[in-house]
Amino acid sequence: MNGVLAAQGLSFPILPALVFIPIIGALIIAALPARRVELHRLVAIASAVVLGALSVWLLVAFDPSNPGLQFVSSAMWVEALDIKFVLGVDGISLFLVVLTGILFPIALFAAKPEHSEKGYYFWLTLLGAGCMAVFLAGDLFLFFLGFELTLVPLYFLIGKWGHGRRVYAANKFFLFTMAGSALMLVCIVALAVLDGAGEGGGVTFDLVRIAEGGVLSETAQRVLFLGFVAAFAVKVPVFPFHTWLPDAHTEAPTAGSVDLAGVLLKLGTYGFIRYGLYLFPEAAVWAAPALISLGLIGIIYGAVVAAMQRNLKRLVAYSSVSHMGFAVMGIFALNVEGLEGSIMQMVNHGIITGALFILLGYLYKRRHTYEISELSGLQKVAPVFAGLFTLFMLASIGVPGLAGFVGEFLILLGTFLAHRWWAVVAAVGVILAALYMLWAYQRVFHGEPSEANRSFKDIKLAEFLPLVPLIGLVFFIGLYPKPILERIEPSVQLLVEHIERQVPGFESPGTQDGSELQPVASGAGSGSSPEGGE
Amino acid sequence: MSLSILAQTPLLTEQIPTPVVSWPALLPLIVMALGGLLLLTFASLFGRRVGTPFFTWWTVMTGLIAFGTAVPLWAQVQGWDRRVLWWNPEQTPAGAFSTVGGAFGIDGFSVLLTMLIALAVAVCALVMAGTSERDGERHVEGPALLILSATGAMVMVGANDLIVLFLGLEVLSLAVYVLAAMNLRRVQSQEAGLKYFVLGAFSSAFFLYGIALVYGGTGSTSLVNITGFLADNLLLGSSSVLVLLGIALMVAGLAFKVAAVPFHSWSPDVYDGAPTSSVAFMASVVKIAAFAGMVRVLVVGFDTFAADWRPILQVLAVLSLVGGALVALVQTNVKRLLAYSSISHAGFILLGVEAASDTGTRAVLVYLVAYTFLVIGSFAVVSIVGRSGDGMHSLDSYRGLGRVSPALAGTFTILLLAQAGVPFTSGFYAKFYAVIAAVDAQSAWLAVVAMLSAVIAAYLYLRLVVTMWFVAPGDQTPAPGLPIPATTGVALVVCVAVTLFIGITPGPLTSVVDEAPPVVVEPPVEQVADAPGLDGLPPGLLDALGGGGAGGQDPLTVDPGGAGTPAGGAP
């Protein structure tokens, strides 16, 4: 508790700073004259680096023993509607905040726009604010604003700085996401009105008040839950709503892809946990089998389609569908293992896919193509590049000892406890991941380089440096996930207890006799984590 | 009440008592009417010497002064405890009131909308000045008609009597018909004016017929008397049919003015043909006035019939929302595109009216405030890109505008995103309140339809954004260095500033809107006492004189048989 008090006593409002620093940075960029290109880059990088430093500081100051929201700061925003500016962070959001803080500066360092620098840096910086607002929000309305705020910057990033069919991809992205959030907005309002009525008039957007109020009828809960699912399922994306993603990813500029895959897809899965499970526990239990099944379909479908891609970036995009399918599955296993694994998976996927997109960005800069058939024998001419690609590829496949394994293992474990056969089928997805990744690797990197590929230059030091933190994280998380898991676990535990309390007769699968939970929790605690047996 | 007093008093005495008029309450109206007339006089005397800058200055000042004169009224309605200009809380009682014998209401609703109209006139005048300066036109008619038309709009927002509402509607409409036909060089403009006039006259006739039927059913045209009558009497049989038919016809008349589907067919043609600066006025002030009328008549006057008129509005709302958004998708002319999008916006505002509640009225007000500046700003951009002659409105004219004129394209982008309802713009809160109203009124399905049609509409705004930013300039794109007239520039700055300000801190607007519910206030008692001999009348005479006794301070349950109403007075 002392740690909490110390943290709460911080004179510096760190969470508002995380939201406002990118906004201020973006405003400065907007105010600078368009000719001073180097200043735009400087301000963008400076604000992103400060963002990263603050998020790391947050990580250090975070109290692992406190499962609730920490560093809470609250201010009234719109009095008439009881909309508050509430920010807080707990074990569920902590690592997503840190991920955002790390990936944004890296994306800036790793890629430069080819034209119209001012707008590019403006939108990219603003995007960071939206992501932070979503992860930190403790108020439904603020959350929704952040969720929507991510939309416009990415729309412009894809539409103006993307490749090929960028306009089509940008429109598709915008409309899919907006359709989802339109339904969510109606549900948020309905929730606010219904809960406000329960409290004696008015409306409320206070997350905790709504969740603990429990005035919703079963039907209302289910209908509203489906509205939220519509928004999150598009964002994740869950299987039938995924078609925008390959287009958006393929046509986006490198930094856009990194942030899209690394951070923005997590808005959906995070939303499932924070809003889906927390606000509508009964409906979540009711819909869990369907959503697990959709997650499973996503895993297999994404992998199979990825294997058939001719475009390397599209391949990675479909692998995202597969990996995020794991995250969804873990969430709706509705137990501690699954949820923990899901959060780990989000972080890992952000790091690994972010790194892969950066590498693909380097590749595109040299060859101006993502077509697998145009590339060959790169290992000969660019061994370091090939080595880095191998590392992140293996992590993505889920090789033990690297980051990807931890999340997928926990998810499979959690799902196994809840729905045994689903986990068995999902394990096939892991094998398929190895198939499509290695096959692509073989075609691109092995063999003799063709004429066009012979002059392929290996990676430069300036290009290598942004990847260093990601390499470190891939190994660190893979080998020693304990410090991360022990910060996630209390909050997840609390959430699972909340669900069990709110849903009569529901017991989180896997905790029935308590013994099945023990190995993970204590295993992570003692350092002999499951993947230690590798 | 006023009308019946006026009608009956000559029988009783030689002296004709006129209703007490609270002149300060009518000051905004007087300022506008005088402003318009003086401008015409002035221009006919010295027009050649002064020219457009003076007309513009005059119009803007008229708008601002009218706004200023509405401020003490707001203070009075809200009961501020300190002096504001000529209003002194110690001398005059605070609160909403009505004047001219109850025909004109001063409440938060009317004062707020009066202020909004005054500001809209000022901003529209700036836009108009920009185009007329560019095209070398030196007409005074434009500014003068703006002012006079806005006077009609102000009458409508305060009307507490159906006849007064109709008078306002006609003053407003006649001026707008001429505004639509004002571009002498384009034949489409004359066509637009004529089309608008013919169809508008039809709709006015509908409205008037509706009033007549309502009078037949309730025995009065005053909302005070109507609400009083409906509260005391349960209408059965044919008299309820009269009232219902009357309501339906009035809804049709007003739905025409707000261009709700299926009464919308004039609007794309008129928007396309009319001068762009007039369209900015039509799309803003006419809608404000018509929606204010709708709220007054339906939500305040006939709230007891809500179960009957709500389904009508639901149908109108759904058709407007979906129809407007869908048809807009295939437009290649930006003015037509914005016309259809404004139809879709009207659907959103109808959501607020449909809710038939305080929350709904609040939603209407928020939407009107936000939309007024959005739409004036949008058409201001269109008027600049239209270039000399105001004719370049195809989507191709916007190709690569972001490269040619980033400031203009940026402004338009903000306004379009706001129309799409993106957060941190006023458009978001407008839609948000409309959704709250619908959910609150148990019609969440309507909110879902509205939001989904907002997504469709978002696509069309995106199409414009894409054309401006992601496409290379073409033949029709303005040449680099497209001049932005200074006055239009000021108007754009105002519109964007309001849009972003409301979007970032909606607090001030919501707190103002919360204080602005429409109410029906009976005329002060002493006015009735002024009418000599009224108290001494035998009750039978009152009956014989028509439904005059039904409202006012005298809640007699009168069978208004004298008005030819067969209504049974069942309590």
Side-chain angles (χ1 to χ4, degrees), chain A residues 77 141 145 148 155 174-175 205, chain B residues 423 429 432 459 462 466 504:
Chain A
W77 189 5
F141 190 81
L145 284 187
E148 290 283 275
Y155 170 73
F174 194 98
L175 293 174
F205 291 94
Chain B
Y429 281 100
F432 183 65
Y459 177 73
L462 285 189
V466 164
I504 293 165

Side-chain angles (χ1 to χ4, degrees), chain A residues 77-78 80-81 83 141 144-145 148-149 152 155-156 159-160 166-167 170-171 174-175 178-179 182-183 185-186 189-190 193 203 205, chain B residues 413 417 420 422-424 428-429 432-433 435-436 439-440 444 447-448 451-452 454-455 458-459 462 465-466 469-470 504 506 510 514:
Chain A
W77 189 5
V78 186
L81 294 172
I83 294 171
F141 190 81
F144 182 79
L145 284 187
E148 290 283 275
L149 182 60
V152 179
Y155 170 73
F156 277 101
K160 197 156 167 65
R166 56 200 164 87
V167 173
N171 279 340
F174 194 98
L175 293 174
M178 190 158 174
L183 289 177
L185 179 66
V186 177
V189 168
V193 171
V203 291
F205 291 94
Chain B
T413 306
L417 289 179
V422 168
F424 300 103
F428 172 74
Y429 281 100
F432 183 65
Y433 269 87
V435 167
I436 290 187
V439 171
D440 196 43
V448 172
M451 286 313 293
L452 289 181
V455 176
Y459 177 73
L462 285 189
V465 172
V466 164
W469 294 101
F470 305 158
I504 293 165
T510 55
D514 280 347

Side-chain angles (χ1 to χ4, degrees), chain B residues 238-302:
Chain B
S238 55
S239 61
S240 89
V241 170
L242 278 182
V243 174
L244 284 176
L245 267 178
I247 292 175
L249 287 173
M250 286 195 292
V251 168
L254 291 171
F256 174 87
K257 290 290 169 202
V258 303
V261 180
F263 304 100
H264 68 291
S265 52
W266 58 275
S267 93
D269 290 349
V270 172
Y271 278 30
D272 185 16
T276 310
S277 47
S278 310
V279 178
F281 182 79
M282 273 189 246
S284 54
V285 173
V286 176
K287 282 209 172 155
I288 298 173
F291 273 113
M294 221 181 244
V295 169
R296 276 252 188 240
V297 171
L298 296 179
V299 181
V300 179
F302 290 97

Side-chain angles (χ1 to χ4, degrees), chain A residues 182-245:
Chain A
L183 289 177
M184 183 166 75
L185 179 66
V186 177
C187 291
I188 287 181
V189 168
L191 201 57
V193 171
L194 289 174
D195 267 273
E199 297 275 340
V203 291
T204 181
F205 291 94
D206 191 306
L207 183 60
V208 178
R209 203 174 126 187
I210 292 175
E212 305 296 341
V215 295
L216 295 178
S217 71
E218 195 177 274
T219 330
Q221 230 192 75
R222 288 177 182 179
V223 171
L224 295 179
F225 177 73
L226 289 180
F228 276 77
V229 165
F232 299 145
V234 169
K235 202 82 174 183
V236 172
V238 174
F239 163 65
F241 309 105
H242 66 282
T243 60
W244 63 270
L245 180 83

Side-chain angles (χ1 to χ4, degrees), chain B residues 12 60 101 212-213 225 332 340 361 456 461 465 568 571:
Chain B
L12 308 168
V60 172
L213 291 177
N225 293 353
T332 51
Y340 281 107
T361 312
I456 304 175
Y461 302 123
V465 172

Side-chain angles (χ1 to χ4, degrees), chain B residues 185-429:
Chain B
R185 294 187 211 157
R186 290 186 73 211
V187 69
Q188 294 98 318
S189 177
Q190 272 102 71
E191 185 195 324
L194 194 63
K195 198 174 250 173
Y196 193 24
F197 171 67
V198 172
L199 290 172
F202 259 110
S203 81
S204 296
F206 276 129
F207 189 74
L208 200 54
Y209 192 30
I211 296 177
L213 291 177
V214 165
Y215 180 77
T218 65
S220 176
T221 58
S222 160
L223 289 179
V224 177
N225 293 353
I226 289 174
T227 46
F229 178 79
L230 292 176
D232 294 339
N233 299 282
L234 183 65
L235 291 183
L236 295 168
S238 55
S239 61
S240 89
V241 170
L242 278 182
V243 174
L244 284 176
L245 267 178
I247 292 175
L249 287 173
M250 286 195 292
V251 168
L254 291 171
F256 174 87
K257 290 290 169 202
V258 303
V261 180
F263 304 100
H264 68 291
S265 52
W266 58 275
S267 93
D269 290 349
V270 172
Y271 278 30
D272 185 16
T276 310
S277 47
S278 310
V279 178
F281 182 79
M282 273 189 246
S284 54
V285 173
V286 176
K287 282 209 172 155
I288 298 173
F291 273 113
M294 221 181 244
V295 169
R296 276 252 188 240
V297 171
L298 296 179
V299 181
V300 179
F302 290 97
D303 60 333
T304 42
F305 281 89
D308 296 302
W309 55 256
R310 278 186 65 189
I312 305 178
L313 289 198
Q314 283 166 5
V315 172
L316 288 180
V318 169
L319 289 178
S320 308
L321 283 164
V322 179
L326 281 180
V327 183
L329 288 182
V330 295
Q331 301 303 318
T332 51
N333 178 309
V334 173
K335 276 170 90 178
R336 291 186 85 85
L337 189 153
L338 288 176
Y340 281 107
S341 103
S342 94
I343 292 172
S344 189
H345 283 296
F348 258 102
I349 309 180
L350 282 171
L351 238 60
V353 184
E354 183 273 334
S357 63
D358 281 352
T359 322
T361 312
R362 216 173 287 161
V364 172
L365 286 173
V366 172
Y367 214 110
L368 285 177
V369 172
Y371 182 65
T372 299
F373 292 97
L374 284 183
V375 81
I376 296 178
S378 300
F379 279 110
V381 175
V382 173
S383 79
I384 295 174
V385 180
R387 279 159 282 172
S388 190
D390 197 20
M392 310 288 276
H393 298 306
S394 97
L395 204 53
D396 288 338
S397 300
Y398 291 78
R399 288 172 66 104
L401 191 66
R403 224 171 286 173
V404 175
S405 176
L408 195 63
T411 307
F412 203 23
T413 306
I414 293 176
L415 294 168
L416 289 172
L417 289 179
Q419 291 205 42
V422 168
F424 300 103
T425 62
S426 57
F428 172 74
Y429 281 100

Side-chain angles (χ1 to χ4, degrees), chain A residues 98-354:
Chain A
V98 177
L99 179 72
T100 312
I102 293 175
L103 275 185
F104 269 85
I106 288 179
L108 275 172
F109 278 117
K112 274 186 190 175
E114 278 152 16
H115 58 91
S116 334
E117 289 79 2
K118 179 173 172 169
Y120 176 86
Y121 289 118
F122 173 78
W123 291 120
L124 203 59
T125 311
L126 201 59
L127 186 62
C131 295
M132 282 294 181
V134 170
F135 291 137
L136 295 174
D139 180 282
L140 268 173
F141 190 81
L142 185 62
F143 159 76
F144 182 79
L145 284 187
F147 200 77
E148 290 283 275
L149 182 60
T150 58
L151 196 56
V152 179
L154 203 60
Y155 170 73
F156 277 101
L157 283 174
I158 297 174
K160 197 156 167 65
W161 290 273
H163 333 278
R165 297 199 303 160
R166 56 200 164 87
V167 173
Y168 168 77
N171 279 340
K172 200 167 171 183
F173 161 75
F174 194 98
L175 293 174
F176 264 71
T177 319
M178 190 158 174
S181 35
L183 289 177
M184 183 166 75
L185 179 66
V186 177
C187 291
I188 287 181
V189 168
L191 201 57
V193 171
L194 289 174
D195 267 273
E199 297 275 340
V203 291
T204 181
F205 291 94
D206 191 306
L207 183 60
V208 178
R209 203 174 126 187
I210 292 175
E212 305 296 341
V215 295
L216 295 178
S217 71
E218 195 177 274
T219 330
Q221 230 192 75
R222 288 177 182 179
V223 171
L224 295 179
F225 177 73
L226 289 180
F228 276 77
V229 165
F232 299 145
V234 169
K235 202 82 174 183
V236 172
V238 174
F239 163 65
F241 309 105
H242 66 282
T243 60
W244 63 270
L245 180 83
D247 290 313
H249 262 327
T250 314
E251 314 304 355
T254 300
S257 296
V258 172
D259 292 334
L260 177 61
V263 179
L264 279 131
L265 301 189
K266 279 76 198 176
L267 302 187
T269 39
Y270 174 76
F272 271 131
I273 300 180
R274 174 74 82 212
Y275 297 89
L277 299 194
Y278 186 50
L279 292 180
F280 314 101
E282 196 278 332
V285 171
W286 165 72
L291 283 160
I292 285 208
S293 306
L294 286 180
L296 182 61
I297 295 173
I299 293 172
I300 305 292
Y301 173 86
V304 170
V305 179
M308 292 178 226
Q309 293 307 313
R310 299 199 185 107
N311 179 313
L312 208 49
K313 209 169 176 188
R314 238 182 145 74
L315 184 146
V316 179
Y318 272 108
S319 85
S320 286
V321 175
S322 182
H323 288 301
M324 294 312 282
F326 270 107
V328 172
M329 207 165 84
I331 293 169
F332 288 95
L334 296 176
N335 52 23
V336 176
E337 294 83 352
L339 281 164
E340 263 184 16
S342 189
I343 295 167
M344 282 306 292
Q345 175 79 349
M346 293 182 217
V347 175
N348 294 336
H349 176 259
I351 295 168
I352 296 164
T353 312

